[in-house]
Amino acid sequence: MKMTGAQTQMLKGIITNPDHPELQGTFKQGSFWIVTDSFSCFYFNKKPNLPNCQGVDKDLLQYLDIPASAKTQRVPDIDFMVRIKNISNENKRRPFPYELDKDVNLFVNPYYMLRIMKILPGATRMFYSTRVKPVVFVGDDDNYALLNPIRYDGNSPYINHEGELINPNLGEEIIKEEDECNSIKTVMSM
């Protein structure tokens, strides 16, 4: 996979965390070049155009062993995820969690999922087994990405797997049409 300039810029954004100088670049484990910010992790067969870094001692390759019992799902359309991210932008404190799988009770940060989809546009399938283990995205040319799920307390708003904003405190969906109607200004005519 030949990386575009935009993909390389997104990777450079991942490695800029000043709290983790050991992750400010790419490092090799096994046959993969790894780029991570501890929220998501990318595995490339070819070295990306990033500086080398120390990396971590933890075996990050273990997460690529997908159990036979893992669920598989198609990666959503990128336009759908952009819409999810835009809905999530409504919360200024932190993004609304996105419910990836209702049955597993699996939630992810929509920003990080969209970032994975942009960096690995050839990823069409994702695998997961529980709500605490990372979601594995399988890209083209044997490139992979991991996304760590987030904990969801069950009491705050979230975006369900169909793209609807749900507010469990009210026990109902937040209906955008009502919000839009309330924000329309009436113009008086003479």
Side-chain angles (χ1 to χ4, degrees), residues 41-88:
C41 187
F42 294 88
Y43 300 79
F44 298 107
N45 279 320
K46 295 182 181 172
K47 184 180 183 304
N49 188 16
L50 298 172
N52 290 340
C53 67
Q54 176 185 342
V56 294
D57 292 333
K58 184 177 183 180
D59 178 17
L60 297 176
L61 300 178
Q62 68 178 331
Y63 299 112
L64 295 181
D65 292 332
I66 302 168
S69 62
K71 293 181 89 172
T72 182
Q73 184 175 326
R74 289 194 59 73
V75 173
D77 180 75
I78 198 155
D79 293 332
F80 175 78
M81 281 310 297
V82 167
R83 197 172 90 241
I84 297 298
K85 184 187 113 270
N86 290 340
I87 293 170
S88 188

Side-chain angles (χ1 to χ4, degrees), residues 133-152:
K133 290 190 178 180
V135 179
V136 179
F137 292 78
V138 180
D140 52 3
D141 299 331
D142 287 330
N143 294 312
Y144 300 89
L146 296 181
L147 177 59
N148 285 318
I150 58 176
R151 291 190 177 141
Y152 172 66

